[in-house]
Amino acid sequence: MEMNNHISTEKYAADISSIREAQVRIKPFIHITPVLTSESLNTMSGRKLFFKCESFQKVGAFKFRGACNAVFSLDDDQAAKGVATHSSGNHAAALSLAAKLRGIPAYVIVPKNAPKCKIENVKRYGGQVILSEPSMQSRESTAAKVLEATGATLVPSSNHGRVISGHGTIVLEILEQAPQIDTIIVPISGGGLTSGVAVAAKAINPCIRVLAAEPRGANDAALSKAAGEIVRLPETNTIADGLRAFLGNLTWPIVRDLVDDVIVVEDEEIVEAMKLCFGILKVTTEPSGAIGLAAVLSDSFQKNPRWKDCRNIAIVLSGGNMDLGVVWDSFRS
Amino acid sequence: MEMNNHISTEKYAADISSIREAQVRIKPFIHITPVLTSESLNTMSGRKLFFKCESFQKVGAFKFRGACNAVFSLDDDQAAKGVATHSSGNHAAALSLAAKLRGIPAYVIVPKNAPKCKIENVKRYGGQVILSEPSMQSRESTAAKVLEATGATLVPSSNHGRVISGHGTIVLEILEQAPQIDTIIVPISGGGLTSGVAVAAKAINPCIRVLAAEPRGANDAALSKAAGEIVRLPETNTIADGLRAFLGNLTWPIVRDLVDDVIVVEDEEIVEAMKLCFGILKVTTEPSGAIGLAAVLSDSFQKNPRWKDCRNIAIVLSGGNMDLGVVWDSFRS
C-alpha cells in the first residue's frame, strides 16, 4: 500500500491550480490585506493569533476576491451582457465593483431588509439595485426575470467554482505573511470562503487544520457535517446577518471532506468578539467577520482536546460593513 | 553664496541620526504598522491618500515609539529606578508597556477625567496609576512627589529629545511603504509627533510638506506660528482630548522652522472624519487620530492654493483608544 499524505482536491469545484490562477487574475484589482497581531488577544486566547483583515479589502469584505475572479474569467461576449446576483450585500457590492472595473453592468437583487450600508455600498460601486422581498424565493424569482431580460451571467455568492477559487487566494497570502500558522478559522455561511480556504490550505499543507465558525442561530453547517448531508434550516436567527445562507452542491463536498470541524458560538460571544476587534485590534468588523475570534475564545474550542495543539492560528476577519447604530444597540443590550 | 537645499536639523532636540538610531533601538518592540489606501477617500479628497495606521501600534497609538525609545535609552542604573509621567493616557500606557518590557517600574499620574479606557490601558500594561486632579498644576505637583520618593526618570509625552526621535521613525516607515508621498499631515498637540515627523521628513527630502492639524478649540499651535512665540490658551474645548497640550521649548523651534502650516478644523469635521475611518477605512480612530483626514477634507486645505499640488498625502492616523459610548454620543449629536 502506498502511503500518501497529499490530499487530492481535483474532484472539487476548485483546486490549487484554479486558486493560483485566480491569484494572478485578481492581483491588479485587490488589496493585499495586512495580517495584524495583538499581544493582548494572544494572552486572552492562550494562542498566537494572526488576524487576516479582509475588512480592509475593497468593498470592505473578502467577497471581492471571488467576485473579481468570476467577472474577469468571463469571455468578452458573455461579459458584455453583464452579471447578476441575488445575494446579500457584500457579494453584491463586490460584484458591482468588479463589473465596474471591467466596464460591464451588474444587476443586483437585494432583499429589502438588508443593512442600509450594504445597499449604499452596492450603489456606490455602480451596481443597479433591484429590491426584492426578503424570502429566498422572491430573490430567486426576481433574479430569473432579470436574467431573462438581460442575458446577464448569474454569479452566486458562494456556490460557484470561480468564486471559491477567488476566495482561496486568502490562504496564499496568509502563508506568505505568517508561514508559521497551523490552523485557519473562517466564518461559514454558503461555504464559498470555507471551501476556497480548505482546498488551498490542505493542498499546500494537509496538516493545517481548517475550522469553520458559525452562529448557534444558523448552525446548518455543523448539522450538515453531523448528518453527512446538506441540512437547511426552516429559519435562522442571529446577529451575524452574513452567515444565514446554506451550503450548496459545490461547497458541501469540500466542507464535508476537508473542514476539520465546525465551531458553533452564541450571538453574545460574537458581540464580545466585535468589541475586542473594535477596542483592541482597532478594526471595524461586522458580526460575521468577528465570529472567528469568538470561536477561538469559546469554551467549545478552548476545552476541546483536539485543538489544544493549535498554537498559531490565522483568523479571517472577513468583513467590516455594518451600520454603527446596529452595533451600538447590540453592545448595550 | 553657496546654494544649499539641505535643511540642517542639527540644532534641534532630534536629528535624522537620532531618529535612525531610535529606529534600530525600538525595532524589536514595535509593530511596523500598515499603510492603507481607499479609492473612496481618494475620490472624496481629490488626492491620493496613504493612511499610516498607528491605531494598530502597540497600546493603540504612535506614543509607544517615543516612550520605547526613551526607556531603552536609559543606562541600567537610571532605568532600575523606573520612569514616570504625568501625561494623558496614550503616552502613559505606552510608557507602562515600554517599562514592563525593560522590567522596570512605571509611575503614571493620570488626571481623574481621562477616558476610562485610557486608564484601563495603563493598568493593563502594568503601570502604577496615581490619580491627580485634572489641572496641569496638580498633575505636575503629584509627579514631583513621586519623583522625589522613587528617583524615577520623568519622561514627558512630547517635549523630550528621545521621545521626538522615536516618533520620527514613522517617517522612515512611511517612505519605505509609500515612497511617492509629497506631503505628510499629522495631528499636533505637545508637538512631539509633529517635531519628529518634520525633522525626519525635511532631512530626507526638504520638498516634502509637513502640515499639522489641530482643532479650533485648542488652536495654540496655529496661534504660536502666527505670533512667532509659544502661545498657551487659558482653556481648551474640543472632542479631541489628546490634542489639548501646548508646545514646549524643544518642540516649538522645530514646529516654528520646519512645519509648513497648521490647518485648523472644527470638531464637526473631526467627527465626520471619525465616521469615515470607521465606515470606509474600517479603522478605529480616536478623535485626535482622525484629525488629519478632517484636515485634508476641509475647506482650509482644499481651497488653499498653496496646497493644490499636494497629490500624494500621508495621513498619520495617530491612535485608536476611546470609549465607544463617547464616540456614539458624538455621532448622534
Side-chain angles (χ1 to χ4, degrees):
Chain A
M1 200 180 81
E2 199 178 67
M3 295 295 287
N4 188 355
N5 263 327
H6 184 77
I7 296 174
S8 167
T9 58
E10 280 166 36
K11 59 189 169 179
Y12 303 120
D15 59 26
I16 189 65
S17 301
S18 68
I19 292 169
R20 290 198 194 281
E21 284 164 21
Q23 188 181 36
V24 173
R25 188 177 291 120
I26 69 180
K27 194 178 178 193
F29 308 109
I30 65 160
H31 285 310
I32 307 290
T33 54
V35 167
L36 299 182
T37 60
S38 159
E39 288 297 330
S40 302
L41 295 176
N42 288 349
T43 303
M44 281 183 70
S45 65
R47 326 278 172 132
K48 286 200 175 169
L49 306 180
F50 299 85
F51 294 93
K52 179 64 171 169
C53 296
E54 290 289 304
S55 291
F56 306 145
Q57 190 49 267
K58 291 202 177 164
V59 315
F62 75 96
K63 292 283 189 184
F64 184 64
R65 295 174 185 267
C68 199
N69 191 44
V71 164
F72 284 91
S73 295
L74 295 173
D75 68 37
D76 287 348
D77 288 346
Q78 272 183 298
K81 293 176 184 165
V83 288
T85 185
H86 55 78
S87 199
S88 71
N90 280 337
H91 172 66
L95 194 67
S96 300
L97 178 58
K100 184 178 166 185
L101 290 170
R102 186 148 184 194
I104 62 174
Y107 307 100
V108 177
I109 294 87
V110 182
K112 286 176 179 169
N113 62 344
K116 199 176 72 176
C117 71
K118 290 192 174 181
I119 296 178
E120 290 302 315
N121 251 0
V122 171
K123 291 183 183 169
R124 174 145 49 103
Y125 294 115
Q128 301 183 32
V129 172
I130 300 136
L131 292 175
S132 79
E133 296 304 315
S135 74
M136 189 50 76
Q137 201 180 10
S138 164
R139 289 157 74 170
E140 286 177 359
S141 67
T142 310
K145 284 179 209 156
V146 171
L147 291 181
E148 201 179 305
T150 61
T153 302
L154 185 71
V155 180
S157 70
S158 298
N159 201 50
H160 185 287
R162 299 290 189 180
V163 170
I164 294 169
S165 297
H167 296 342
T169 62
I170 289 177
V171 171
L172 306 182
E173 285 178 27
I174 291 175
L175 288 176
E176 284 205 359
Q177 296 167 310
Q180 68 271 57
I181 61 138
D182 54 45
T183 306
I184 304 180
I185 303 187
V186 292
I188 190 164
S189 182
L193 172 62
T194 307
S195 297
V197 163
V199 166
K202 296 294 187 183
I204 293 170
N205 178 0
C207 298
I208 294 177
R209 290 92 157 187
V210 175
L211 304 176
E214 83 182 342
R216 176 80 54 200
N219 63 342
D220 56 291
L223 296 174
S224 300
K225 290 275 279 184
E229 61 181 10
I230 299 178
V231 172
R232 289 164 178 263
L233 302 169
E235 60 181 21
T236 57
N237 178 20
T238 172
I239 189 177
D241 59 281
L243 300 183
R244 294 180 300 208
F246 304 130
L247 297 168
N249 65 314
L250 300 178
T251 55
W252 161 242
I254 302 174
V255 171
R256 180 192 62 205
D257 299 348
L258 301 182
V259 171
D260 293 282
D261 201 5
V262 179
I263 298 164
V264 177
V265 301
E266 309 299 330
D267 272 17
E268 295 71 28
E269 294 174 303
I270 295 174
V271 170
E272 194 53 42
M274 284 172 67
K275 285 187 193 175
L276 294 171
C277 288
F278 178 89
I280 294 185
L281 267 191
K282 319 295 184 189
V283 178
T284 307
T285 314
E286 58 187 272
S288 315
I291 196 171
L293 177 56
V296 87
L297 295 173
S298 71
D299 280 353
S300 327
F301 177 83
Q302 291 283 337
K303 297 190 174 167
N304 189 331
R306 285 177 74 194
W307 314 131
K308 75 175 166 40
D309 293 330
C310 297
R311 304 236 165 270
N312 295 292
I313 304 175
I315 294 178
V316 179
L317 297 183
S318 55
N321 293 319
M322 60 183 167
D323 294 331
L324 185 60
V326 174
V327 185
W328 181 242
D329 287 344
S330 73
F331 279 20
R332 281 189 303 185
S333 63
Chain B
M1 200 179 81
E2 200 179 65
M3 294 296 287
N4 189 355
N5 263 328
H6 186 78
I7 295 175
S8 166
T9 58
E10 281 166 35
K11 59 188 169 179
Y12 303 119
D15 59 27
I16 190 65
S17 302
S18 68
I19 292 169
R20 291 199 193 281
E21 284 164 21
Q23 187 181 36
V24 173
R25 188 176 290 120
I26 69 179
K27 194 179 176 191
F29 308 108
I30 66 161
H31 285 311
I32 306 290
T33 54
V35 167
L36 299 182
T37 60
S38 159
E39 287 297 330
S40 302
L41 295 176
N42 288 350
T43 302
M44 281 183 69
S45 65
R47 326 279 172 132
K48 287 199 173 169
L49 307 180
F50 300 85
F51 294 92
K52 179 64 171 169
C53 295
E54 290 289 304
S55 290
F56 306 145
Q57 189 49 264
K58 292 203 177 161
V59 314
F62 75 96
K63 291 283 188 185
F64 184 65
R65 295 174 184 267
C68 199
N69 190 44
V71 164
F72 284 91
S73 295
L74 295 173
D75 68 37
D76 287 346
D77 289 346
Q78 272 183 300
K81 295 176 184 164
V83 288
T85 185
H86 54 78
S87 201
S88 71
N90 280 335
H91 173 65
L95 193 68
S96 299
L97 179 59
K100 183 177 167 186
L101 290 170
R102 187 148 183 194
I104 62 174
Y107 308 100
V108 177
I109 295 87
V110 181
K112 286 175 179 169
N113 62 343
K116 199 177 72 177
C117 71
K118 291 192 171 181
I119 296 177
E120 290 303 315
N121 250 0
V122 171
K123 291 183 182 166
R124 173 144 50 103
Y125 294 115
Q128 302 183 30
V129 172
I130 301 135
L131 292 175
S132 79
E133 297 304 314
S135 75
M136 188 51 75
Q137 201 179 10
S138 165
R139 290 159 73 171
E140 286 178 357
S141 67
T142 309
K145 284 180 209 155
V146 170
L147 292 181
E148 201 180 306
T150 61
T153 302
L154 185 71
V155 181
S157 71
S158 298
N159 201 51
H160 185 288
R162 299 290 190 181
V163 170
I164 294 169
S165 297
H167 296 342
T169 62
I170 288 177
V171 171
L172 306 181
E173 284 177 28
I174 291 174
L175 288 175
E176 283 204 359
Q177 295 167 311
Q180 68 271 56
I181 61 139
D182 53 45
T183 306
I184 304 180
I185 303 186
V186 292
I188 190 165
S189 182
L193 173 61
T194 306
S195 296
V197 163
V199 166
K202 296 294 187 183
I204 293 169
N205 179 359
C207 297
I208 294 177
R209 290 91 156 190
V210 176
L211 304 177
E214 81 182 342
R216 176 80 56 199
N219 65 341
D220 57 290
L223 296 175
S224 298
K225 290 275 279 185
E229 61 182 9
I230 299 178
V231 172
R232 290 164 177 263
L233 302 169
E235 60 181 20
T236 58
N237 178 21
T238 173
I239 189 178
D241 59 281
L243 301 182
R244 293 179 300 208
F246 304 130
L247 298 168
N249 66 312
L250 300 178
T251 55
W252 161 242
I254 303 173
V255 171
R256 178 192 64 205
D257 299 349
L258 302 183
V259 171
D260 293 283
D261 201 4
V262 179
I263 298 165
V264 176
V265 301
E266 309 300 330
D267 272 17
E268 295 72 29
E269 293 173 304
I270 295 174
V271 170
E272 194 52 42
M274 283 172 68
K275 285 187 193 174
L276 294 172
C277 288
F278 178 88
I280 294 186
L281 268 190
K282 319 295 184 191
V283 179
T284 307
T285 314
E286 58 188 271
S288 314
I291 196 171
L293 176 57
V296 87
L297 295 174
S298 71
D299 280 354
S300 326
F301 177 83
Q302 291 283 337
K303 296 190 175 168
N304 188 333
R306 284 177 74 193
W307 314 131
K308 76 173 166 41
D309 293 332
C310 298
R311 303 238 165 268
N312 297 291
I313 304 174
I315 294 178
V316 179
L317 298 183
S318 56
N321 293 318
M322 58 183 169
D323 294 332
L324 186 59
V326 174
V327 184
W328 180 241
D329 287 344
S330 72
F331 279 21
R332 281 189 302 187
S333 63

